[in-house]
Amino acid sequence: MKAKLVSLLAQANIKISDQQIQQLIDLVNLLNKWNKAYNLTSVRDPQEMLVKHILDSLVVSPYLQGDRFIDVGTGPGLPGLPLAIINPSKQFVLLDSLGKRISFIRNAIRELGLTNVTPVLSRVEEYQPEDKFDGVLSRAFASLKDMTDWCHHLPKENGHFYALKGIYQEDEINELNKKYTIQEVIELHVPELIGERHLIVLR
């Protein structure tokens, strides 16, 4: 698995330490182990997880501005856990409303020795943090309109929303409240992934 991950990272031009590579592999092994009992992801093959979960999360990293992020509807910690592993100086809050997912994340934080991740079990509209965030991340979340409606209270005044999407859909943009502007639409390249990936940055 290590050779495969090293090859994928090279193709994506992502440079990280040996320790971080090992943490990412350990994360996939944990996900695979827990998945058998808790059904956290529909991806069953660890080699496939490297592409569809790990690299798919990491390619967003160069575009993150700031130090404090929340991953909304994180599921089993995606993209939050992989991003936290390769960005140890940034802080990540991982929010989900399902207890088994947050249990998995708590376990992963302990096993991987992460000090920059805080798991939160809550519905997003009920979560009222004292400190706002530089960035609100979501992967495979609802529409952009739902994301901004439900998470409007989370970013700082000059913070951003980062929506990880498959195909870029113009009609989603048209539904947005006028107070949000699309700052950038970035086509992401995930090695060995079939299908389109886009990052939509709003503020």
Side-chain angles (χ1 to χ4, degrees):
M1 200 192 303
K2 183 173 183 180
K4 166 100 170 174
L5 178 56
V6 168
S7 162
L8 291 167
L9 289 166
Q11 291 174 64
N13 203 20
I14 296 169
K15 294 175 178 63
I16 58 174
S17 70
D18 287 345
Q19 184 195 354
Q20 290 166 332
I21 288 171
Q22 191 55 52
Q23 284 175 307
L24 291 169
I25 291 167
D26 291 346
L27 173 58
V28 169
N29 287 330
L30 278 174
L31 198 47
N32 187 41
K33 185 173 128 188
W34 276 61
N35 210 26
K36 292 180 171 77
Y38 293 96
N39 200 24
L40 296 168
T41 162
S42 59
V43 181
R44 297 280 173 223
D45 175 12
Q47 300 277 345
E48 240 183 288
M49 287 180 188
L50 287 175
V51 175
K52 291 185 174 171
H53 290 335
I54 302 300
L55 262 291
D56 199 39
S57 299
L58 297 184
V59 291
V60 179
S61 185
Y63 306 104
L64 299 181
Q65 297 171 37
D67 302 308
R68 195 172 139 72
F69 298 88
I70 182 166
D71 177 10
V72 176
T74 185
L78 302 167
L81 285 174
L83 288 170
I85 287 169
I86 72 162
N87 294 286
S89 62
K90 297 184 193 298
Q91 294 295 318
F92 291 86
V93 170
L94 273 51
L95 180 138
D96 203 277
S97 59
L98 261 191
K100 66 178 182 179
R101 293 173 181 162
I102 294 298
S103 296
F104 169 74
I105 291 165
R106 287 198 180 108
N107 179 260
I109 290 167
R110 206 166 45 243
E111 298 262 338
L112 302 173
L114 298 176
T115 55
N116 59 334
V117 180
T118 307
V120 174
L121 177 62
S122 174
R123 294 173 62 86
V124 65
E125 55 272 37
E126 290 162 11
Y127 177 60
Q128 299 291 336
E130 283 177 32
D131 293 333
K132 305 285 187 189
F133 297 92
D134 296 310
V136 179
L137 287 153
S138 82
R139 177 178 183 258
F141 195 69
S143 67
L144 292 174
K145 183 180 189 306
D146 285 347
M147 181 189 178
T148 47
D149 285 353
W150 297 345
C151 307
H152 64 89
H153 57 298
L154 297 175
K156 292 178 180 171
E157 202 170 314
N158 57 351
H160 294 84
F161 290 95
Y162 298 91
L164 286 72
K165 292 279 186 182
I167 295 165
Y168 173 65
Q169 294 179 314
E170 195 76 45
D171 54 348
E172 268 198 63
I173 310 293
N174 300 333
E175 289 172 5
L176 277 171
N177 186 310
K178 293 290 175 269
K179 67 180 177 183
Y180 298 105
T181 54
I182 302 280
Q183 204 165 348
E184 227 178 332
V185 177
I186 300 151
E187 193 174 339
L188 299 169
H189 296 286
V190 183
E192 296 186 26
L193 185 78
I194 296 162
E196 291 181 33
R197 283 288 183 274
H198 290 86
L199 175 66
I200 301 173
V201 184
L202 306 104
R203 59 183 309 177

Short mmCIF file of all heavy atoms in Angstrom, two decimals, residues 5 12 22 26 33 35 40 42 59 61 63 79 83 91 100 104 106 112 115 134 139 142 145 152-153 155 158 163 200:
data_model
loop_
_atom_site.label_atom_id
_atom_site.label_comp_id
_atom_site.label_asym_id
_atom_site.label_seq_id
_atom_site.Cartn_x
_atom_site.Cartn_y
_atom_site.Cartn_z
N LEU A 5 0.64 4.57 -2.47
CA LEU A 5 0.40 5.92 -1.98
C LEU A 5 1.52 6.87 -2.41
O LEU A 5 1.25 7.99 -2.84
CB LEU A 5 0.28 5.92 -0.44
CG LEU A 5 0.06 7.28 0.22
CD1 LEU A 5 -1.17 8.00 -0.34
CD2 LEU A 5 -0.07 7.15 1.73
N ALA A 12 0.34 13.60 -7.95
CA ALA A 12 -0.43 14.80 -7.55
C ALA A 12 0.49 15.94 -7.13
O ALA A 12 0.02 17.01 -6.76
CB ALA A 12 -1.38 14.44 -6.41
N GLN A 22 2.93 7.40 6.60
CA GLN A 22 2.54 6.28 7.47
C GLN A 22 1.20 6.54 8.15
O GLN A 22 0.36 5.63 8.26
CB GLN A 22 3.63 6.01 8.52
CG GLN A 22 3.42 4.71 9.30
CD GLN A 22 3.31 3.48 8.40
OE1 GLN A 22 4.17 3.25 7.54
NE2 GLN A 22 2.24 2.70 8.56
N ASP A 26 -2.08 4.27 7.95
CA ASP A 26 -2.74 3.81 9.18
C ASP A 26 -4.22 4.21 9.18
O ASP A 26 -5.08 3.44 9.65
CB ASP A 26 -2.05 4.40 10.42
CG ASP A 26 -0.65 3.81 10.63
OD1 ASP A 26 -0.33 2.78 10.00
OD2 ASP A 26 0.13 4.41 11.40
N LYS A 33 -10.84 -1.47 8.75
CA LYS A 33 -11.20 -2.33 9.89
C LYS A 33 -12.58 -1.98 10.44
O LYS A 33 -13.44 -2.83 10.62
CB LYS A 33 -10.13 -2.16 10.98
CG LYS A 33 -10.30 -3.08 12.18
CD LYS A 33 -9.08 -2.93 13.10
CE LYS A 33 -9.52 -2.65 14.52
NZ LYS A 33 -8.41 -2.33 15.41
N ASN A 35 -14.90 -0.30 8.96
CA ASN A 35 -15.93 -0.36 7.92
C ASN A 35 -16.67 -1.70 7.94
O ASN A 35 -17.85 -1.78 7.63
CB ASN A 35 -15.28 -0.15 6.54
CG ASN A 35 -16.23 0.49 5.56
OD1 ASN A 35 -17.16 1.21 5.95
ND2 ASN A 35 -16.02 0.25 4.30
N LEU A 40 -18.95 2.54 7.29
CA LEU A 40 -18.69 3.99 7.25
C LEU A 40 -18.58 4.52 5.83
O LEU A 40 -18.78 5.70 5.58
CB LEU A 40 -17.39 4.28 8.00
CG LEU A 40 -17.38 3.97 9.50
CD1 LEU A 40 -15.97 4.01 10.05
CD2 LEU A 40 -18.29 4.91 10.26
N SER A 42 -18.86 3.28 1.39
CA SER A 42 -19.21 2.23 0.42
C SER A 42 -17.96 1.69 -0.29
O SER A 42 -18.04 0.68 -0.98
CB SER A 42 -20.19 2.79 -0.61
OG SER A 42 -19.59 3.89 -1.27
N VAL A 59 -5.93 16.79 -2.38
CA VAL A 59 -5.73 17.73 -3.49
C VAL A 59 -6.30 19.12 -3.19
O VAL A 59 -5.99 20.09 -3.88
CB VAL A 59 -6.33 17.21 -4.83
CG1 VAL A 59 -5.54 16.02 -5.35
CG2 VAL A 59 -7.80 16.87 -4.69
N SER A 61 -5.74 20.72 -0.37
CA SER A 61 -4.86 21.37 0.60
C SER A 61 -4.22 22.68 0.12
O SER A 61 -4.21 23.67 0.86
CB SER A 61 -3.77 20.39 1.05
OG SER A 61 -3.00 20.96 2.06
N TYR A 63 -5.23 25.00 -1.59
CA TYR A 63 -6.16 26.13 -1.76
C TYR A 63 -6.71 26.65 -0.43
O TYR A 63 -7.45 27.64 -0.41
CB TYR A 63 -7.31 25.70 -2.68
CG TYR A 63 -6.81 25.14 -3.99
CD1 TYR A 63 -6.82 23.77 -4.23
CD2 TYR A 63 -6.26 25.99 -4.95
CE1 TYR A 63 -6.31 23.26 -5.42
CE2 TYR A 63 -5.74 25.48 -6.14
CZ TYR A 63 -5.77 24.11 -6.36
OH TYR A 63 -5.25 23.60 -7.53
N PRO A 79 -13.05 15.40 4.15
CA PRO A 79 -11.59 15.40 3.94
C PRO A 79 -10.77 15.77 5.18
O PRO A 79 -9.56 15.87 5.11
CB PRO A 79 -11.41 16.48 2.88
CG PRO A 79 -12.46 17.50 3.21
CD PRO A 79 -13.66 16.69 3.70
N LEU A 83 -6.47 15.94 5.61
CA LEU A 83 -5.95 17.32 5.58
C LEU A 83 -5.25 17.68 6.89
O LEU A 83 -4.23 18.36 6.88
CB LEU A 83 -7.10 18.31 5.30
CG LEU A 83 -7.64 18.29 3.88
CD1 LEU A 83 -8.91 19.12 3.77
CD2 LEU A 83 -6.60 18.79 2.87
N GLN A 91 -5.77 23.93 12.46
CA GLN A 91 -6.74 23.29 13.35
C GLN A 91 -7.99 22.89 12.57
O GLN A 91 -8.48 23.68 11.76
CB GLN A 91 -7.13 24.24 14.49
CG GLN A 91 -6.01 24.57 15.45
CD GLN A 91 -5.53 23.36 16.23
OE1 GLN A 91 -6.33 22.54 16.69
NE2 GLN A 91 -4.21 23.22 16.37
N LYS A 100 -21.68 6.98 15.37
CA LYS A 100 -20.67 5.97 15.01
C LYS A 100 -19.53 6.60 14.21
O LYS A 100 -18.37 6.18 14.31
CB LYS A 100 -21.30 4.81 14.22
CG LYS A 100 -21.85 5.18 12.84
CD LYS A 100 -22.42 3.95 12.12
CE LYS A 100 -22.91 4.32 10.73
NZ LYS A 100 -23.46 3.15 10.01
N PHE A 104 -15.58 6.75 15.42
CA PHE A 104 -14.46 6.36 14.56
C PHE A 104 -13.39 7.46 14.56
O PHE A 104 -12.20 7.20 14.69
CB PHE A 104 -14.91 6.09 13.13
CG PHE A 104 -13.75 5.94 12.17
CD1 PHE A 104 -12.98 4.79 12.17
CD2 PHE A 104 -13.41 6.98 11.32
CE1 PHE A 104 -11.88 4.68 11.33
CE2 PHE A 104 -12.31 6.88 10.47
CZ PHE A 104 -11.54 5.71 10.48
N ARG A 106 -12.82 9.83 16.78
CA ARG A 106 -12.13 9.90 18.08
C ARG A 106 -11.05 8.82 18.18
O ARG A 106 -9.94 9.07 18.65
CB ARG A 106 -13.14 9.71 19.23
CG ARG A 106 -14.02 10.91 19.45
CD ARG A 106 -14.68 10.88 20.84
NE ARG A 106 -15.52 12.06 20.98
CZ ARG A 106 -16.86 12.04 20.97
NH1 ARG A 106 -17.49 10.89 20.85
NH2 ARG A 106 -17.54 13.15 21.10
N LEU A 112 -3.69 7.77 15.67
CA LEU A 112 -2.75 8.45 14.78
C LEU A 112 -1.95 9.54 15.50
O LEU A 112 -1.06 10.15 14.91
CB LEU A 112 -3.51 9.08 13.60
CG LEU A 112 -4.33 8.11 12.73
CD1 LEU A 112 -5.16 8.87 11.71
CD2 LEU A 112 -3.45 7.09 12.04
N THR A 115 -3.06 16.02 17.14
CA THR A 115 -3.34 17.01 18.18
C THR A 115 -4.10 18.22 17.64
O THR A 115 -4.39 19.16 18.38
CB THR A 115 -2.02 17.51 18.81
OG1 THR A 115 -1.18 18.00 17.76
CG2 THR A 115 -1.29 16.38 19.53
N ASP A 134 -11.86 30.16 9.52
CA ASP A 134 -11.30 30.71 8.27
C ASP A 134 -11.93 30.02 7.07
O ASP A 134 -12.09 30.62 6.01
CB ASP A 134 -9.78 30.51 8.22
CG ASP A 134 -9.07 31.27 9.31
OD1 ASP A 134 -9.34 32.48 9.46
OD2 ASP A 134 -8.25 30.68 10.02
N ARG A 139 -17.59 17.96 1.70
CA ARG A 139 -17.35 17.05 0.58
C ARG A 139 -18.63 16.25 0.38
O ARG A 139 -19.13 15.64 1.33
CB ARG A 139 -16.18 16.14 0.96
CG ARG A 139 -15.82 15.07 -0.05
CD ARG A 139 -14.60 14.32 0.49
NE ARG A 139 -14.12 13.30 -0.43
CZ ARG A 139 -14.35 12.02 -0.28
NH1 ARG A 139 -15.08 11.57 0.73
NH2 ARG A 139 -13.84 11.16 -1.15
N ALA A 142 -24.80 18.56 0.64
CA ALA A 142 -25.97 18.93 -0.16
C ALA A 142 -25.58 19.99 -1.20
O ALA A 142 -24.41 20.22 -1.47
CB ALA A 142 -27.04 19.45 0.77
N LYS A 145 -26.52 25.86 -2.14
CA LYS A 145 -27.51 26.68 -1.43
C LYS A 145 -27.73 26.13 -0.02
O LYS A 145 -27.73 26.88 0.96
CB LYS A 145 -28.84 26.72 -2.20
CG LYS A 145 -29.87 27.61 -1.53
CD LYS A 145 -31.18 27.65 -2.29
CE LYS A 145 -32.13 28.71 -1.75
NZ LYS A 145 -32.37 28.59 -0.29
N HIS A 152 -24.12 29.22 7.39
CA HIS A 152 -23.84 30.66 7.24
C HIS A 152 -23.22 31.26 8.50
O HIS A 152 -22.52 32.27 8.45
CB HIS A 152 -25.12 31.42 6.88
CG HIS A 152 -26.16 31.36 7.97
ND1 HIS A 152 -26.21 32.28 8.99
CD2 HIS A 152 -27.14 30.46 8.21
CE1 HIS A 152 -27.20 31.95 9.81
NE2 HIS A 152 -27.77 30.84 9.36
N HIS A 153 -23.47 30.62 9.67
CA HIS A 153 -23.02 31.19 10.95
C HIS A 153 -21.60 30.74 11.32
O HIS A 153 -21.10 31.10 12.38
CB HIS A 153 -23.98 30.75 12.07
CG HIS A 153 -24.12 29.26 12.19
ND1 HIS A 153 -24.63 28.47 11.18
CD2 HIS A 153 -23.80 28.40 13.20
CE1 HIS A 153 -24.63 27.21 11.56
NE2 HIS A 153 -24.13 27.14 12.79
N PRO A 155 -18.38 30.70 9.16
CA PRO A 155 -17.13 31.37 8.77
C PRO A 155 -16.95 32.74 9.41
O PRO A 155 -17.92 33.41 9.75
CB PRO A 155 -17.25 31.51 7.25
CG PRO A 155 -18.68 31.41 6.93
CD PRO A 155 -19.37 30.71 8.07
N ASN A 158 -14.29 37.34 6.86
CA ASN A 158 -13.58 37.19 5.58
C ASN A 158 -13.25 35.73 5.29
O ASN A 158 -12.34 35.41 4.53
CB ASN A 158 -12.29 38.04 5.58
CG ASN A 158 -11.38 37.66 6.74
OD1 ASN A 158 -11.78 36.90 7.62
ND2 ASN A 158 -10.16 38.18 6.74
N ALA A 163 -16.41 24.00 -1.18
CA ALA A 163 -17.29 22.87 -1.52
C ALA A 163 -16.57 21.93 -2.48
O ALA A 163 -16.18 22.35 -3.57
CB ALA A 163 -18.58 23.39 -2.14
N ILE A 200 -15.20 24.41 -5.30
CA ILE A 200 -15.85 25.72 -5.47
C ILE A 200 -15.62 26.54 -4.21
O ILE A 200 -15.95 26.11 -3.10
CB ILE A 200 -17.36 25.53 -5.74
CG1 ILE A 200 -17.54 24.68 -7.01
CG2 ILE A 200 -18.06 26.88 -5.91
CD1 ILE A 200 -18.95 24.27 -7.31
#
